[in-house]
Amino acid sequence: MAITEFQVEGMHCASCAANIEKKLKKLDGVQNAAVNYATRSAVIEGSAPVEKIKETVIAMGYTLVEKTTNSEKQSAKAEEAEINDYKIKVAIGAVFSIPLLILAMGGLVGITFPEIIAANMFYIQFLLCLPPMYAGREFFVRGAQGIMNKMPTMDSLVGIGVGAAFLYSTAVTFAGIGGEPYYEIAAVVATFILLGRFLEARARGSASEAIKKLMGLAPKTALVIRNKKEIEIPIEQVIVGDLIIVKPGEKIPVDGTVVSGESTVDESMVTGESMPVTKRKGDAVIAGTINKHGSITFKATKVGKETLLAQIIKLVEQAQNSKPPIQKLVDQISAVFVPVVAVIAVAAFAYWYFIAGQTFLFALTIFITILIIACPCALGLATPTAIIMGTGKGAEKGILIKNAAALETAKKVNAVIFDKTGTLTKGEPEVIDVYTLGEKRTTVLSLAASAESRSEHPLAEAIVLKAQGEKIQVIEPTNFKAVSGKGITASVKGKKILVGSHSLMKELKI
């Protein structure tokens, strides 16, 4: 069964996601569909044609793009553009809503206005209300689309509520039907909801930072040998079989097998082990890991989405897009929430106006209040945002969570057993003690630390830190040489010092 992932643009509330999901599940060939409002994504299982899926979603007023490396970059740009767009809309709303609120409510707190303003109060309020209405035009456009598709959303509620307040106020101003206008309600509510959407968009952006950081682990370019020449190319252009050169301190761009050279590689991002691993001819290397010392040439075996790093990123994304059991319940509630709220609002208006005998203005206020305050966004956003943050923070710390259901089940865990000696403490080696044969302890530590002071190996750093911690003198060495995977040789105070493994000592006949 084919599984296709899409990026969905244009969703503004949890009910949008629920409506799209409901519509997609009715399509022939779709076995299952999961639409996530927080990640703006849709995962569809089945054999339905992609074009048919796109047509269905576009007809509902949304945009659907099949996920690729390029579409992810475009999505990040669209996300940034959305945040900036809401920032401008909120600014417009606030600039005009604040003076409008002062004009409408000032008399209640004893503020007096010049006669020319008092005489044209309703007209001035009308003009001040226009920019916030324009800034919030999406409520009316998307709200109308939802109603026409027989799938009303939060935008439908806000559009009806704010629109009713604005139209009634306009009728009071220009048709002389009597009563007080409600321009400030329409403008302030529209501005507050835009502010909420701006904060939501920013929260989604920060929640997906973990994925961006994981993507940032891979280098952007690779030095490959083609036609017997070394050329630097974008990582996307590397193909299986390419010979790639990696110099000391550089990241390994793709997965592969070493064909020449010898080095030590820091694989802690994958294994959690702080000690670098020696790599020789025939050994595997992993994209995103760091080549510490010697230069190596390796043959690319996996590129693009096939690399281990790409698979890790994919796993985290799938976990973020998955839904725990509690989210499915929330989605079911969100799907019926909007029509239920609309029915309650109409019923409340009818009760207060026709049965309780209240004024039209009072009944209208009740109607608008119910429509606007009853917002399912928090309901639909809370759980997926928690999932994104949880799986994302876990990935940053090297903990991969397979899916949202596993995360929900984890609350029942009362004991965890690990077999990872040394990697769950500091993740870096530390000198615990120094044993000597005849020489003074401080002398041995001083010579070893001095010789290792030019090395970047974690064991070397641990020895130097031990000496510094005990305020033992560390001298700049001469004739320093790193023996890849074995240790170092150097001269300190005219003495030749060797620090390294048993194999180094055997090789130098010690």
Side-chain angles (χ1 to χ4, degrees):
M1 188 183 294
I3 299 176
T4 315
E5 289 185 50
F6 297 92
Q7 201 67 31
V8 187
E9 300 299 335
M11 292 193 293
H12 287 91
C13 67
S15 50
C16 292
N19 288 341
I20 295 170
E21 191 174 295
K22 192 175 176 182
K23 196 87 169 177
L24 288 172
K25 283 180 177 177
K26 289 180 179 177
L27 281 179
D28 289 338
V30 172
Q31 300 296 321
N32 192 31
V35 181
N36 192 314
Y37 169 51
T39 58
R40 295 290 198 265
S41 62
V43 179
I44 298 164
E45 297 177 31
S47 57
V50 171
E51 288 308 313
K52 183 68 179 173
I53 293 168
K54 284 183 179 179
E55 281 173 21
T56 303
V57 176
I58 290 167
M60 295 176 72
Y62 306 98
T63 307
L64 199 68
V65 181
E66 201 167 347
K67 269 195 177 180
T68 62
T69 306
N70 198 40
S71 73
E72 283 167 7
K73 289 176 184 174
Q74 288 175 345
S75 177
K77 286 181 182 176
E79 196 175 76
E80 193 177 336
E82 183 186 29
I83 292 170
N84 291 332
D85 183 48
Y86 275 126
K87 200 182 289 183
I88 293 165
K89 286 176 177 177
V90 170
I92 292 170
V95 165
F96 289 94
S97 293
I98 292 168
L100 177 55
L101 196 60
I102 293 167
L103 287 175
M105 300 295 182
L108 298 176
V109 292
I111 298 175
T112 55
F113 300 102
E115 193 176 324
I116 189 167
I117 292 177
N120 296 284
M121 184 65 79
F122 290 178
Y123 299 109
I124 295 169
Q125 288 183 22
F126 170 76
L127 293 172
L128 286 172
C129 192
L130 290 177
M133 290 299 96
Y134 181 74
R137 62 192 179 280
E138 65 188 53
F139 305 139
F140 308 113
V141 175
R142 296 188 185 281
Q145 284 176 334
I147 291 167
M148 285 189 288
N149 286 318
K150 296 178 182 175
M151 289 185 168
T153 64
M154 180 60 199
D155 284 326
S156 305
L157 294 182
V158 176
I160 294 168
V162 171
F166 179 74
L167 291 174
Y168 172 77
S169 302
T170 305
V172 168
T173 305
F174 296 101
I177 64 170
E180 291 290 323
Y182 280 85
Y183 290 120
E184 77 282 1
I185 290 178
V188 170
V189 166
T191 303
F192 264 111
I193 292 174
L194 287 170
L195 175 62
R197 299 221 167 145
F198 164 69
L199 295 174
E200 277 181 15
R202 202 169 64 173
R204 283 195 311 273
S206 62
S208 59
E209 277 300 308
I211 291 288
K212 292 172 187 171
K213 283 180 184 175
L214 284 172
M215 289 175 172
L217 290 174
K220 301 292 181 285
T221 60
L223 186 64
V224 301
I225 301 171
R226 287 185 181 173
N227 300 321
K228 297 181 181 179
K229 289 183 181 178
E230 293 181 13
I231 56 168
E232 193 168 356
I233 60 171
I235 190 78
E236 293 83 9
Q237 293 178 17
V238 176
I239 58 173
V240 173
D242 270 339
L243 289 176
I244 301 166
I245 298 169
V246 185
K247 296 175 182 176
E250 293 181 345
K251 286 183 178 180
I252 290 167
V254 296
D255 293 0
T257 306
V258 177
V259 294
S260 66
E262 188 175 313
S263 183
T264 53
V265 177
D266 179 359
E267 294 185 337
S268 57
M269 60 151 279
V270 175
T271 63
E273 299 287 349
S274 56
M275 297 297 294
V277 182
T278 302
K279 299 291 180 181
R280 301 183 180 91
K281 186 177 179 180
D283 290 338
V285 288
I286 303 166
T289 56
I290 302 167
N291 182 30
K292 299 290 282 185
H293 300 293
S295 179
I296 55 171
T297 302
F298 73 93
K299 190 177 195 177
T301 55
K302 290 181 180 178
V303 300
K305 291 189 175 182
E306 298 302 314
T307 66
L308 181 63
L309 178 60
Q311 294 298 317
I312 290 170
I313 292 168
K314 182 81 171 170
L315 186 67
V316 176
E317 284 182 332
Q318 285 174 347
Q320 290 187 341
N321 288 331
S322 64
K323 292 184 180 183
I326 194 169
Q327 180 62 30
K328 290 171 184 175
L329 174 64
V330 169
D331 286 348
Q332 288 171 355
I333 295 167
S334 294
V336 298
F337 194 91
V338 173
V340 167
V341 167
V343 169
I344 292 170
V346 171
F349 175 87
Y351 170 79
W352 287 108
Y353 186 63
F354 294 109
I355 300 172
Q358 292 289 341
T359 63
F360 177 78
L361 284 178
F362 181 87
L364 180 66
T365 305
I366 296 293
F367 173 75
I368 293 167
T369 304
I370 291 171
L371 287 180
I372 291 169
I373 289 175
C375 169
C377 287
L379 189 71
L381 197 64
T383 305
T385 302
I387 296 296
I388 293 171
M389 293 301 291
T391 53
K393 283 293 177 188
E396 278 181 33
K397 303 293 182 185
I399 301 164
L400 299 182
I401 296 158
K402 190 175 180 182
N403 54 45
L407 190 61
E408 187 177 326
T409 307
K411 70 180 179 182
K412 298 174 184 174
V413 172
N414 53 32
V416 182
I417 301 168
F418 291 101
D419 179 21
K420 292 288 286 177
T421 309
T423 60
L424 288 178
T425 50
K426 293 182 179 178
E428 57 189 34
E430 181 183 344
V431 175
I432 300 302
D433 212 340
V434 181
Y435 296 89
T436 68
L437 292 173
E439 291 285 343
K440 281 185 180 179
R441 179 182 180 282
T442 52
T443 304
V444 171
L445 186 53
S446 176
L447 290 172
S450 298
E452 291 278 31
S453 63
R454 294 277 297 276
S455 174
E456 295 175 355
H457 195 282
L459 287 182
E461 290 171 2
I463 294 168
V464 174
L465 282 171
K466 181 70 172 176
Q468 289 173 345
E470 294 189 8
K471 295 184 169 52
I472 292 171
Q473 186 182 19
V474 177
I475 301 162
E476 182 69 20
T478 56
N479 303 320
F480 176 87
K481 184 185 175 186
V483 184
S484 184
K486 295 178 182 177
I488 61 103
T489 66
S491 295
V492 181
K493 290 183 178 179
K495 293 182 181 180
K496 186 176 182 182
I497 308 296
L498 314 177
V499 187
S501 64
H502 181 264
S503 61
L504 175 67
M505 303 304 160
K506 194 175 177 182
E507 188 179 295
L508 296 173
K509 297 182 173 56
I510 302 297

